[in-house]
């Protein structure tokens, strides 16, 4: 598994954010039984940076906490059975890894939401990565049913990793 981290802002946390990101991405892949080695890109920015991206790609003129840009489409969320046939061009020829997609996180929002929800920045950061990984696996929260499935998976993954709302 390759995790490419791009930092657009200075990152100061009281935890190893690069190591945690790798652990969360890897664990989410294992939890979902993702059958391939994968490549994920993670960009860490601020509210201004994510605001620009949100406006450009989603036509929403406001910052958000996290954006996910999956490289793959699924007939059903979490069903990876047809990926090799349908996405042979999405395998990096140098590494053999399938390119899952991009995650963009606002570090400002990590701090704001951790304070707002009364848990650690570590937990909020991990939560946003789990949330995005599920999007990269085809999950969404556009309907109440989809949201319920996604929320349950988020909780299960974070609980299994012993990342709680401390």
């Amino acid at each position: 598994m390759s995790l490419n981290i791009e930092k657009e802002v200075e990152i100061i946390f009281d935890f190893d954010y690069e190591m945690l990101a790798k652990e969360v991405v890897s664990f989410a892949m294992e939890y979902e039984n993702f059958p391939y080695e994968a490549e994920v890109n993670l960009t860490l920015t601020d509210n201004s940076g994510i605001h620009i991206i949100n406006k450009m790609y989603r036509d929403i003129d406001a910052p958000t906490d996290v954006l996910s840009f999956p490289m793959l489409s699924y007939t059903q969320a979490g069903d990876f059975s047809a990926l090799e046939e349908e996405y042979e061009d999405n395998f990096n020829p140098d590494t053999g890894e399938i390119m899952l997609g991009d995650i963009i996180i606002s570090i400002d929002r990590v701090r704001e939401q951790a304070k707002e929800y009364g848990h650690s920045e570590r937990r909020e950061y991990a939560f946003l990565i789990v949330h995005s990984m599920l999007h990269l696996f085809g999950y969404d929260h556009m309907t109440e049913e989809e949201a319920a499935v996604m929320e349950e998976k988020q909780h299960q993954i974070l609980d299994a990793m012993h990342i709680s709302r401390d």
Side-chain angles (χ1 to χ4, degrees):
M1 188 265 311
S2 296
L3 177 63
N4 306 307
I5 300 176
E6 181 180 331
K7 298 167 276 230
E8 295 183 346
V9 294
E10 184 179 6
I11 314 294
I12 301 172
F13 283 124
D14 64 358
F15 59 90
D16 185 339
Y17 66 90
E18 291 183 358
M19 181 65 74
L20 181 59
K22 288 176 185 169
E23 289 171 2
V24 172
V25 168
S26 180
F27 192 90
M29 289 173 52
E30 288 175 31
Y31 187 87
E32 282 295 299
N33 297 310
F34 192 74
Y36 305 102
E37 288 296 314
E39 180 179 309
V40 175
N41 298 310
L42 171 62
T43 300
L44 304 174
T45 191
D46 57 14
N47 281 345
S48 176
I50 208 163
H51 184 159
I52 292 166
I53 298 165
N54 208 18
K55 174 73 172 145
M56 185 181 313
Y57 290 99
R58 297 178 62 223
D59 204 28
I60 297 175
D61 193 13
T64 188
D65 52 2
V66 64
L67 293 169
S68 310
F69 295 98
M71 295 287 288
L72 311 172
S73 297
Y74 305 89
T75 53
Q76 181 177 336
D79 178 2
F80 311 119
S81 59
L83 290 183
E84 195 164 352
E85 299 159 7
E86 294 180 25
Y87 290 101
E88 63 185 55
D89 290 343
N90 281 68
F91 284 86
N92 183 324
D94 295 330
T95 64
E97 296 174 324
I98 195 165
M99 295 175 281
L100 268 179
D102 300 311
I103 299 170
I104 303 166
I105 294 177
S106 167
I107 298 304
D108 294 336
R109 291 299 290 268
V110 168
R111 291 193 168 89
E112 293 163 9
Q113 290 176 176
K115 185 179 281 190
E116 179 182 337
Y117 298 131
H119 55 241
S120 69
E121 292 176 354
R122 179 180 180 273
R123 195 270 181 196
E124 185 64 21
Y125 179 74
F127 169 80
L128 294 176
I129 295 171
V130 168
H131 182 86
S132 277
M133 286 301 294
L134 291 173
H135 279 308
L136 299 188
F137 295 142
Y139 293 94
D140 214 334
H141 43 81
M142 299 303 284
T143 67
E144 285 185 33
E145 295 81 17
E146 289 174 336
V149 168
M150 197 165 167
E151 287 172 18
E152 180 62 26
K153 285 190 173 284
Q154 290 168 167
H155 291 298
Q156 289 171 351
I157 291 169
L158 291 169
D159 286 348
M161 292 188 73
H162 306 290
I163 298 175
S164 61
R165 291 186 166 208
D166 39 28

